[in-house]
Amino acid sequence: MLVSKVFTFDSAHQLTDYHGECENLHGHTFRLTVTIENAVQKDGMAFDFLLLKNVVREKIIARLDHTYLNDLMPNPSAENLAIWIWDELAAALPV
């Protein structure tokens, strides 16, 4: 079973290894979809949404919302940001 939850956060960045408009400081409203795959348990749920929301808010949203992403990583492209989020959540979620 796949269970997904969508989150949003606002951040600014500039792409240091890119030559074009995005190398200038600019901001985005990011939409993050987190999907968990797990078997449906005896309680009828594959994963507790409250736990998912709390972990994502603590590990990701609280650290990225209204921040300058270049302070977190040298070249915060969408791909590098996704890798960073994946690493943070993989260490924090039990599934």
Side-chain angles (χ1 to χ4, degrees):
M1 172 75 58
L2 299 175
V3 178
S4 298
K5 174 80 177 131
V6 177
F7 302 87
T8 60
F9 61 93
D10 298 298
S11 296
H13 70 153
Q14 56 193 112
L15 300 180
T16 57
D17 294 333
Y18 179 79
H19 301 293
E21 289 182 5
C22 292
E23 69 184 316
N24 297 320
L25 177 62
H26 63 284
H28 297 281
T29 296
F30 290 91
R31 186 176 67 211
L32 170 64
T33 303
V34 178
T35 302
I36 302 288
E37 182 176 14
N38 200 27
V40 176
Q41 306 299 303
K42 289 181 183 181
D43 61 7
M45 297 187 298
F47 198 81
D48 183 348
F49 269 107
L50 182 59
L51 175 60
L52 178 61
K53 285 175 18 180
N54 289 342
V55 168
V56 173
R57 284 183 182 152
E58 176 189 339
K59 297 293 184 181
I60 307 303
I61 305 303
R63 295 173 66 191
L64 301 183
D65 192 36
H66 288 83
T67 64
Y68 178 55
L69 296 175
N70 292 70
D71 289 341
L72 182 67
M73 63 185 71
N75 187 35
S77 64
E79 295 83 355
N80 286 337
L81 188 57
I83 291 168
W84 182 88
I85 291 169
W86 174 272
D87 290 343
E88 293 298 309
L89 291 180
L93 291 171
V95 182

